């Protein structure tokens, strides 16, 4: 049977107190709305529709390429939002299962989605609702089952979901809550949505009213109770965003540890959902790995490292470093206090040391830039040593220019390489040089003022 997904994300999110739509706030580098979308896809559901408001261009743009977008023109409630999705070309005549999730609930797992879909089919139900129990259920829709007020009946099917604002005293006592995750039979959902009314405390069309409408048709509605309450946590405020981040951080870190990654303080390690880490990698404290970052075997990362979209090979050491769109091959080392900017490539065994910034440059195999340097727009061969404080002057105030340095060249400390300039292989450059002309292979280049020495000058002048 085919399965499609719907993610409702047209809500205002006023409690975030933000200029930005709530669902675009990021959790471990991924916008909130993309978490349920990713979970649906991981569960094997390719056809996903996200419902957004008419002015939410930024949300549509974030979703583009990952899911279809349906516009809910007025925020009339969750049933109205679901209707907007069901009216799109993709879903108008869809038959099969529909998994519905909320865009502000990022912790839903692919595993639970699969269980919802399987339960509906196995039980022959028109709908399955994921539920959870909490001691303080205030605010959630309450699950009313056949046996909710009857101890003489076995645990039963779901009769209704009652929203907090519509609950009477007895209903408000119920501790089983609606998570907001459902699996519906598409045709049954379509029929029920057409009948949902807004005669309730909030004057909204509630998706939760679908339950009673399906029951009235004589169809079966069941609950799947989860014991992992964190999976159902919604993000309505910045405090809840922090809580959800912590829960996802622990889930991701645990999975990496179980796969052979060492973290002695996992609460001080933040790893994005798309990061890949090989076994026997060690992550020390205050490490943030985001985007399409990957780390090869036996590398040690941290403390105080932030890597984004960066590829690190095997047996690398990355200490107190920031890297964005950079690459380190096997055995390369960075830091403490290196900054690898986009296009920085440290080849095997290369080093970017302390207070070293590298941009759009290749540092050849075994080459070393150990202290206080800026290297930009440079192609450097292997076995090069760059003395402390040496810099490529790649920018003339208007344009960027390239520097080329051949194999096994030694650049003395405090050298300015004024680009465009080419320095050959096996060259020696004297300390303090300002190199403006190309240097051929095997040469010595020195470009600095001569030193003058005046005997006895100090005591003659210091009175
Ligand atoms: C909803 C459920 C409640 C459940 C709770 C779980 C309903 C009526 N109630 O309540 O039973 O316990 O979630 O967290 O569904 N949205 C739209 N368009 C709208 C209204 C909402 O797209 O017109 C989206 C929101 O962006 C949000 C989701 O639907 O992602 C849920 O809406 P929200 O108003 O937050 O519902 P709750 O009051 O939390
Ligand atoms: Ca909510």
């Amino acid at each position: 049977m085919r399965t499609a997904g719907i993610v409702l994300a047209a809500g205002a999110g006023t409690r975030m107190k933000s200029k930005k739509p709530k669902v675009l706030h990021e959790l471990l580098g991924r916008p909130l709305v993309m978490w349920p979308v990713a979970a649906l896809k991981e569960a094997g559901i390719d056809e996903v529709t996200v419902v957004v408001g008419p002015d939410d261009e930024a949300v549509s743009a974030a979703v583009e390429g990952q899911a279809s977008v349906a516009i809910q023109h007025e925020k009339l409630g969750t049933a109205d939002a679901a209707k907007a999705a069901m009216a799109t070309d993709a879903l108008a005549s869809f038959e099969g299962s529909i998994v519905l999730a909320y865009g502000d609930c990022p912790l839903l797992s692919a595993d639970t989605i699969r269980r919802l879909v399987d339960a509906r089919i196995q039980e022959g139900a028109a709908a399955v609702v994921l539920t959870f129990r909490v001691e303080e259920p205030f605010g959630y829709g309450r699950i009313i089952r056949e046996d909710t007020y009857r101890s003489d009946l076995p645990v039963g099917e779901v009769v209704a979901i009652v929203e907090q604002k519509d609950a009477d005293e007895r209903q408000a006592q119920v501790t089983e809550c609606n998570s907001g995750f459902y699996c519906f039979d598409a045709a049954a959902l379509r029929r029920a949505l057409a009948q949902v009314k807004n005669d309730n405390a909030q004057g909204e069309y509630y998706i939760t009213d679908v339950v009673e409408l399906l029951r009235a048709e004589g169809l079966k509605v069941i609950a799947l109770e989860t014991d992992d309450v964190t999976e159902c946590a919604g993000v309505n405020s910045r405090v809840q965003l922090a809580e959800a981040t912590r829960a996802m951080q622990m889930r991701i870190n645990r999975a990496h540890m179980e796969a052979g990654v060492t973290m002695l303080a996992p609460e001080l390690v933040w790893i994005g959902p798309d990061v890949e880490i090989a076994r026997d990698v060690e992550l020390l404290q205050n490490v943030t790995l985001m985007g399409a970052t990957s780390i090869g075997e036996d590398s040690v990362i941290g403390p105080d490292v932030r890597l984004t979209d960066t590829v690190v090979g095997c047996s690398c050491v990355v200490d107190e470093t920031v890297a964005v769109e950079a690459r380190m091959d096997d055995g390369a080392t960075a830091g403490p206090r290196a900054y690898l900017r986009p296009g920085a490539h440290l080849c095997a065994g290369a080093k970017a040391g302390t207070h070293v910034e590298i941009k759009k440059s290749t540092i050849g195999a075994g080459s070393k830039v150990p202290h206080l340097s800026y290297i930009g727009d440079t192609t450097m061969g292997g076995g090069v040593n760059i003395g402390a404080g040496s810099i490529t002057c790649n920018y003339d105030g208007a344009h960027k220019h390239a520097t080329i340095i051949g194999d096994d060249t030694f650049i003395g400390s405090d050298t300015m390489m004024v680009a465009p300039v080419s320095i050959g292989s096996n060259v020696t450059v004297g300390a303090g040089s300002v190199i403006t002309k190309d240097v051929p292979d095997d040469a010595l280049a020195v470009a600095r003022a001569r030193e003058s020495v005046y005997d006895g000058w100090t005591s003659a002048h210091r009175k």
Side-chain angles (χ1 to χ4, degrees), residues 261-264 269 271 277 281-285 287 289 301:
V261 175
T262 294
M263 300 175 212
L264 297 180
V269 174
I271 304 173
I277 310 178
V281 164
E282 210 175 317
L283 303 178
L284 307 177
Q285 72 272 24
V287 168
L289 307 176
I301 314 293

Side-chain angles (χ1 to χ4, degrees), residues 246-295:
R246 197 152 42 237
M248 185 55 81
Q249 174 198 19
M250 287 309 158
R251 191 193 288 176
I252 289 176
N253 289 0
R254 180 173 288 273
H256 285 295
M257 287 188 278
E258 280 166 1
V261 175
T262 294
M263 300 175 212
L264 297 180
E267 67 281 10
L268 297 177
V269 174
W270 291 265
I271 304 173
D274 300 320
V275 172
E276 288 174 17
I277 310 178
R279 61 184 185 166
D280 290 319
V281 164
E282 210 175 317
L283 303 178
L284 307 177
Q285 72 272 24
N286 293 329
V287 168
T288 303
L289 307 176
M290 289 292 145
T293 291
S294 66
I295 315 284

Side-chain angles (χ1 to χ4, degrees), residues 405-425:
I405 303 171
D407 292 338
D408 302 315
T409 280
F410 175 88
I411 306 289
S413 294
D414 195 29
T415 294
M416 304 291 117
M417 292 163 269
V418 182
V421 71
S422 175
I423 299 170
S425 298

Side-chain angles (χ1 to χ4, degrees), residues 116 119-131 145 156-158 183 220-224:
L116 275 174
R120 193 184 79 75
I121 290 161
Q122 272 161 24
E123 301 283 329
V128 183
V129 186
L130 187 76
T131 69
R145 302 204 196 210
E157 293 175 19
V158 180
C183 179
K220 191 169 172 181
V221 179
I222 57 168
L224 183 72

Side-chain angles (χ1 to χ4, degrees), residues 8-11 72 75-78 81 102-104 140-141 161 163 178-180 182 206-208:
L8 304 188
Q72 184 192 16
K75 282 163 197 154
L76 301 177
T78 44
Y102 295 157
D104 61 355
Y140 289 107
I161 302 177
E163 291 305 299
N178 174 23
S179 69
Y182 320 80
Y206 293 158
I207 187 86
T208 44

Side-chain angles (χ1 to χ4, degrees), residues 277-282 294-301 311-319 328-334 346-351:
I277 310 178
R279 61 184 185 166
D280 290 319
V281 164
E282 210 175 317
S294 66
I295 315 284
E297 268 184 43
D298 299 317
S299 288
V300 180
I301 314 293
V311 176
V312 176
C314 301
S315 302
C316 291
V317 175
V318 186
D319 183 0
M328 293 174 64
D329 294 346
D330 295 352
T333 65
L346 304 186
C347 298
K351 171 176 182 162

Side-chain angles (χ1 to χ4, degrees), residues 15 32 39 89 106 117 142-143 185 226 250 261 273 279 285 302 335 418 427 438:
R15 280 170 286 172
L32 284 176
D89 289 347
V117 175
R142 305 300 210 289
I143 302 294
D185 169 64
T226 176
M250 287 309 158
V261 175
R279 61 184 185 166
Q285 72 272 24
V418 182
V427 163
D438 289 357

Side-chain angles (χ1 to χ4, degrees), residues 5-9 36-37 40 99-105 108 113 180-182:
I6 297 176
V7 177
L8 304 188
V37 170
L40 288 162
V99 175
L100 190 139
Y102 295 157
D104 61 355
C105 296
L108 173 68
I113 293 170
F181 305 126
Y182 320 80

